[in-house]
C-alpha cells in the first residue's frame, strides 16, 4: 500500500481513494502537468496471473478508445516496480450507489440518459461494458449542473473478442444487474448493457435491485424466470407507463428489448412525462433491429448506426446546488463527501461458471439450484434404491442406520484413498457406519457409460481378482485391495448393463489390514445378498 508522499511511476501519491479485489486507486499528482489524476494499481500478488494482467491492460486499451463527455478518460498505463498501473481522469464527486435512495424521478432519468449516451458511444466503437450498475456511474458538479460519467471498463471486452479473459469458475458481472444471457454464458451484444441499465433505473427509483434477495440463487432465478417487478408497487407516484418501459428493457430475450440504450432512456422519459406512444411489451415475438442483418455483434460486421442522443425538449438537468426540492447527493458512507475515482468498485468474483446455459445441467448454478445432471442422478439412485439411500439430496439414514451423504461433485469430497479411482464421477452417495465391522457402500454416477467402465477397469487394475458374479443386469466384481504390498480390505464393484443404470457404479467395502480377504469377502458377499438392491 502506498502512503501520502510516495512517488510511483512519477506520480506523487496524495491519498488512497479506494481498494478492491484486484487493486487500489489513489489520488495522485501528475509528474509534469498541474492536475490530479486517479491512479489505479494492480495488486502485486496478482501480477503473475497472466489472465488478470491481460484483463487489467485491456481495460486501459478499451477505455482509451472512448472519447465521450459521459465516459471517464483514460490517460496512460504502464508497469513500474512489477506493478501494472493506469492513470485516469479524477472525478471529484460521488457514485450513484451512494446518493440518497429512492432518487427523484427527474434526477434518476437524468442519470440514465447520460449513462445511455455513454453506452451507445461504447457500443458504436465495438465495446461492451458488461458491468453497468449505480456504483459505476459517477456524479460530479460541473458549473452548477450534475455531470454523469460512466466508469469501470475492467471487464469490458470487444464485441468480436473470442478469447474471453474470464476464467471458467468465475463470474465477473455484478449479479444483481446481470442480464440473463450473461448468467447463462450465451452470446452477448449491446442489449446486455441495456438490461443492466434498466436494472439500474429500477434501483435508483426504488432503492433496491429488481430481483434483490439475500440468496444469490434467488437473484439468478429472478433474472432467468421471474417477470420484471412493478415500479408502481414501490413507487405509486410514478406513471403506470414506466412499468411497460422497464418490462421491455428487462425482457428475458435480448431481441425483445429496445434497439439501443438511448431508445430505452427516451421511452422512459416519454413515460415519465406522459407524452408519446408507449413501447410494446413483447410476450415472445422477436423484435426487428433497426440495423441491417446479420447482427454485427454476432459476426464481427460493421457497428450499428445508432441515432445520436437527442435532448428532450423542455428538459435540462437540474442545476447544482439545488434549491427547488432536488436533493443533493448524500453519501451513505460515513465521512461526508467522498472523492470517487474510476473503478472504486472492482470486478466481483462469484464462485461459479460464466459458461452456463440454463438448459446445461453440468455447472455450479445448476448444482446450486439442485437441477443439475448430478442431482438428477442422485434422485434417480434414491428412487432405484429407496432403502439404501435417503430421498432428496440432504444427509440422512441409509440401510441399517448407516449415515449417508450426497455429493454433486465428487472431486470435492473423496474420503478414502481408493476413491481417487472414481474421482471423475459427477455424483456420489457415501454411506458408512461408525462400526468398522460393518460394510460401507458408495453409489457413483458418471457422465457417460464409458466413463464408468474406465473407472471400474482402472480399479480392477489396482486390486486383486477374487472372481465375478451376475444378478440380472448387475455384475459384481470381487476385488482384494492391496496397498504397499499388504492386504487393505475387500471390495465388490457392481456395474449394470441396462441403459438406465449403465453410468452407475456401486462399491461395497469392508475390512482392514488386521483381517484377511478370506475372512472379509464371505461376510461382504453375505451383506450384499441381503442389501435391498432390487
Amino acid at each position: 500500500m502506498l502512503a501520502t508522499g510516495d512517488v510511483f511511476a512519477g506520480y506523487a501519491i496524495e491519498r488512497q481513494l479506494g481498494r478492491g479485489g484486484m487493486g487500489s486507486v489513489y489520488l495522485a499528482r501528475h509528474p509534469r502537468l498541474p492536475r490530479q489524476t486517479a491512479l489505479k494499481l494492480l495488486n502485486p500478488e496478482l501480477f503473475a496471473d497472466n489472465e488478470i494482467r491481460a484483463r487489467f491492460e485491456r481495460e486501459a486499451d478499451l477505455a482509451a478508445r472512448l472519447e465521450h463527455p459521459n465516459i471517464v478518460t483514460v490517460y496512460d498505463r504502464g508497469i513500474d516496480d512489477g506493478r501494472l498501473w493506469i492513470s485516469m481522469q479524477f472525478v471529484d464527486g460521488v457514485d450513484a450507489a451512494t446518493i440518497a435512495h429512492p432518487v427523484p424521478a427527474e434526477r434518476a432519468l437524468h442519470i440514465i440518459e447520460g449513462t445511455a449516451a455513454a453506452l451507445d458511444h461504447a457500443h458504436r466503437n465495438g465495446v461492451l461494458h458488461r458491468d453497468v450498475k449505480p456504483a459505476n456511474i459517477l456524479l460530479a458538479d460541473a458549473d452548477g449542473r450534475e455531470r454523469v460519467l460512466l466508469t469501470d471498463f475492467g471487464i469490458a471486452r470487444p464485441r468480436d473478442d473470442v478469447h474471453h479473459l474470464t476464467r471458467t469458475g468465475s463470474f465477473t458481472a455484478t449479479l444483481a444487474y446481470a442480464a440473463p444471457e450473461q448468467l447463462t454464458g450465451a452470446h452477448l451484444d449491446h442489449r446486455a448493457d441495456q438490461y443492466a441499465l434498466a436494472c439500474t433505473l429500477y434501483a435508483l427509483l426504488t432503492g433496491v435491485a429488481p430481483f434483490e434477495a439475500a440468496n444469490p440463487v434467488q437473484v439468478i432465478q429472478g433474472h432467468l424466470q421471474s417477470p420484471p417487478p412493478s415500479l408502481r408497487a414501490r413507487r405509486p407516484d410514478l406513471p403506470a407507463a414506466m412499468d411497460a418501459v422497464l418490462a421491455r428493457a428487462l425482457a428475458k430475450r435480448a431481441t425483445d428489448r429496445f434497439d439501443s440504450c438511448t431508445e430505452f432512456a427516451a421511452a422512459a422519459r416519454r413515460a415519465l412525462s406522459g407524452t408519446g406512444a408507449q413501447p410494446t411489451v413483447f410476450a415472445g415475438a422477436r423484435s426487428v433491429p433497426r440495423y441491417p442483418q446479420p447482427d454485427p455483434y454476432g459476426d464481427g460486421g460493421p457497428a450499428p448506426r445508432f441515432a445520436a442522443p437527442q435532448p428532450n425538449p423542455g428538459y435540462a438537468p437540474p442545476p447544482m446546488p439545488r434549491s427547488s426540492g432536488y436533493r443533493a447527493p448524500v453519501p451513505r458512507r460515513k465521512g461526508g463527501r467522498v472523492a470517487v475515482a474510476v473503478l472504486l468498485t472492482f470486478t466481483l468474483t462469484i464462485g461459479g461458471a460464466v459458461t452456463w446455459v440454463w438448459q446445461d445441467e453440468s455447472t455450479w448454478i445448476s448444482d446450486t439450484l439442485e437441477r443439475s445432471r448430478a442431482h438428477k442422478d442422485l434422485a434417480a439412485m434414491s428412487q432405484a434404491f429407496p432403502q439404501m439411500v435417503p430421498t432428496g439430496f440432504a444427509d440422512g439414514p441409509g440401510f441399517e442406520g448407516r449415515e449417508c451423504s450426497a455429493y454433486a461433485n465428487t472431486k470435492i469430497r473423496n474420503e478414502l484413498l481408493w476413491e481417487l479411482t472414481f474421482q471423475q464421477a459427477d455424483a456420489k452417495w457415501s454411506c458408512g457406519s461408525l462400526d468398522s465391522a460393518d460394510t460401507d457402500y458408495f453409489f457413483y454416477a458418471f457422465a457417460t457409460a464409458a466413463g464408468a467402465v474406465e473407472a471400474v477397469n482402472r480399479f480392477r487394475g489396482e486390486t486383486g481378482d477374487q472372481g465375478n458374479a451376475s444378478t440380472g443386469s448387475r455384475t459384481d466384481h470381487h476385488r482384494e485391495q492391496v496397498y504397499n504390498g499388504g492386504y487393505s480390505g475387500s471390495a465388490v464393484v457392481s456395474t449394470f448393463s441396462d441403459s438406465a443404470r449403465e453410468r452407475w457404479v456401486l462399491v461395497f467395502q469392508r475390512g482392514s489390514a488386521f483381517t484377511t480377504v478370506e475372512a472379509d469377502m464371505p461376510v461382504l458377499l453375505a451383506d450384499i445378498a441381503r442389501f435391498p438392491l432390487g
Side-chain angles (χ1 to χ4, degrees), residues 162-385:
V162 295
H163 303 292
H164 293 196
L165 294 177
T166 303
R167 269 194 204 97
T168 299
S170 67
F171 181 68
T172 54
T174 304
L175 199 60
Y177 302 88
E181 61 269 27
Q182 203 164 1
L183 292 170
T184 61
H187 170 71
L188 297 184
D189 66 13
H190 60 292
R191 291 165 294 199
D193 284 344
Q194 180 193 139
Y195 183 98
L197 186 63
C199 290
T200 297
L201 176 59
Y202 185 94
L204 292 175
L205 291 172
T206 67
V208 297
F211 304 106
E212 189 160 300
N215 187 339
V217 174
Q218 293 177 297
V219 179
I220 295 168
Q221 288 176 322
H223 285 300
L224 296 175
Q225 297 176 313
S226 300
S230 171
L231 267 176
R232 295 262 297 171
R234 291 182 177 269
R235 290 285 303 269
D237 58 306
L238 295 176
M242 288 290 288
D243 278 343
V245 173
L246 278 171
R248 179 170 176 183
L250 294 175
K252 306 303 181 189
R253 298 193 309 178
T255 52
D256 290 342
R257 299 174 201 149
F258 295 97
D259 290 336
S260 71
C261 292
T262 302
E263 183 181 345
F264 158 60
R269 171 61 63 188
R270 290 194 301 270
L272 183 63
S273 62
T275 61
Q278 299 307 320
T280 301
V281 180
F282 292 92
R286 294 175 61 89
S287 62
V288 180
R290 293 182 301 178
Y291 49 83
Q293 296 295 317
D295 187 339
Y297 289 95
D299 67 358
R305 298 292 182 182
F306 294 110
Q310 299 297 319
N312 183 61
Y315 172 74
M320 298 176 66
R322 305 163 183 83
S323 58
S324 59
Y326 193 105
R327 287 186 283 180
V330 180
R332 292 179 179 171
R333 294 189 291 266
K334 189 175 181 180
R337 187 176 182 86
V338 178
V340 180
V342 180
L343 302 167
L344 288 183
T345 302
F346 296 97
T347 302
L348 174 65
T349 301
I350 299 176
V354 165
T355 308
W356 174 60
V357 180
W358 178 242
Q359 290 78 16
D360 192 347
E361 299 175 344
S362 61
T363 59
W364 74 274
I365 298 180
S366 56
D367 281 342
T368 307
L369 298 178
E370 295 186 347
R371 61 173 303 278
S372 68
R373 179 179 59 206
H375 283 87
K376 291 179 180 179
D377 279 324
L378 291 170
M381 288 188 285
S382 295
Q383 185 175 8
F385 307 108

Side-chain angles (χ1 to χ4, degrees), residues 2 11 45 70-71 76 102 108 116 156 167 209 219 247 294-295 317 341 360 368 371 389 393 396 418 451 456 467:
L2 300 179
Y11 293 85
E45 64 269 20
N70 296 111
I71 295 177
D76 198 3
R167 269 194 204 97
V219 179
D295 187 339
D360 192 347
T368 307
R371 61 173 303 278
V389 293
F393 316 118
W418 61 263
V456 170

